Amino acid sequence: MKMHNFCAGPSILPREVVEQTAQAVLDFNGTGLSILEISHRSKDFQAVLDEAVALFKEILNIPEGYSVLFLGGGASMQFCMVPYNFLQKKAAYTDTGVWAKKAYKEAKLFGEVEVVASSADANYTYIPKNFTVPEDVDYFHFTTNNTIHGTEVRFDPEVNVPMVADMSSDIFTRPIDFSKYICVYGGAQKNLAPSGVTFAIVRNDALNKVDRTIPLMLNYQTHVDGGSMFNTPPVLPIYSAMLTLRWIKANGGVEEMARRAKERADLLYGEIDRNKLFRGTCHVEDRSYMNICFVLNDEYKELEAEFIEFAKARGIVNIKGHRSVGGFRASCYNAMPLESVQALVDCMKEFENLH
Ligand SMILES: *Cc1c(COP(=O)(O)O)cnc(C)c1O
């Protein structure tokens, strides 16, 4: 049976990326060696890292003066690296979900944190608007896509201070104006690669501005100087990331990724809004293109487990919502084919006919 995997993360990758990764595990570049067994400092792997960095810059149109780093520790490690490296006195954060909250809690260990807006009052079902960011902060941090709750900021906000963004779950799904950011980071396992690698794009001249001493491994400068090779980087996930970047480029870049994301989201939200059994959980204007959250209407609430089984019988898996939201979440990252979204929509229609 054809499987349609809507997992929120680690999530699906383009089929050819999975196949080429599997091939490299058996025989990397015709060397007769597995990519698992070679030195990260070998010529062959250095070429992979260089290509991954170059493609990052090309596809996202990253200006001169920024470094693309591949690190360990996940996006969660960035929650502390960001304030360690950039927070001298005070930073502004928005509180738009579980991840955003973890980020500002960590920042509080390093200085004053002003939470300028929060949607916690409505279980993070919307993106706060009309807030002001004080001008005396070192940076403004926000989460572009709230993976758990299903809201998204699909633009680069206008503020008068440098920005930092957690783009774990929507990097490479739209063009970004990097000149507004000193740091953009994310775990790779949502939209780029298997888990194990974290990307951080840092503006070089924003580094070394804080007074504190930063441990070597947590200092971005160490990894800029070491070209992401200060210590052993996650070799296999970087290889897969490079393959995904090739795939994005060959498939029309971020403009085309944005078009496909909207097409998938329009199809699924359209059905959620039409179908008498279901409703969306977030404010319409803030709905994520990546993580589409919905629930059964109250009078059909008891059908939740049945719908999950019904979908599973049709090859549609991993649609259970996060425990803090309930209901369903269909994650539709770049690699998600429209046919899989159509399969879910057809399944929802079929289920409606039964009830
Ligand atoms: C998944 C996720 C994280 C956590 O990433 P880890 O790599 O597991 O630390 C952080 N932020 C967002 C927006 C996420 O989706």
Side-chain angles (χ1 to χ4, degrees), residues 35 57 126 207 271 273 310 334:
I35 193 167
K57 291 184 175 173
Y126 69 99
L207 298 174
E271 177 60 17
D273 292 340
F310 188 81
N334 281 340

Side-chain angles (χ1 to χ4, degrees), residues 259-277:
R259 192 198 64 75
R260 291 183 191 180
K262 180 172 189 323
E263 189 177 33
R264 287 187 298 258
D266 284 348
L267 177 61
L268 187 47
Y269 284 122
E271 177 60 17
I272 290 166
D273 292 340
R274 186 210 61 78
N275 193 306
K276 74 171 190 288
L277 304 182

Side-chain angles (χ1 to χ4, degrees), residues 73-77 79 99 143 145-147 166-169 186-190 198:
S76 301
M77 179 75 98
F79 297 163
W99 299 116
T143 312
N145 182 64
N146 298 286
T147 320
D166 175 357
M167 298 199 186
S168 292
S169 50
Q189 67 273 17
K190 312 283 165 54
T198 311

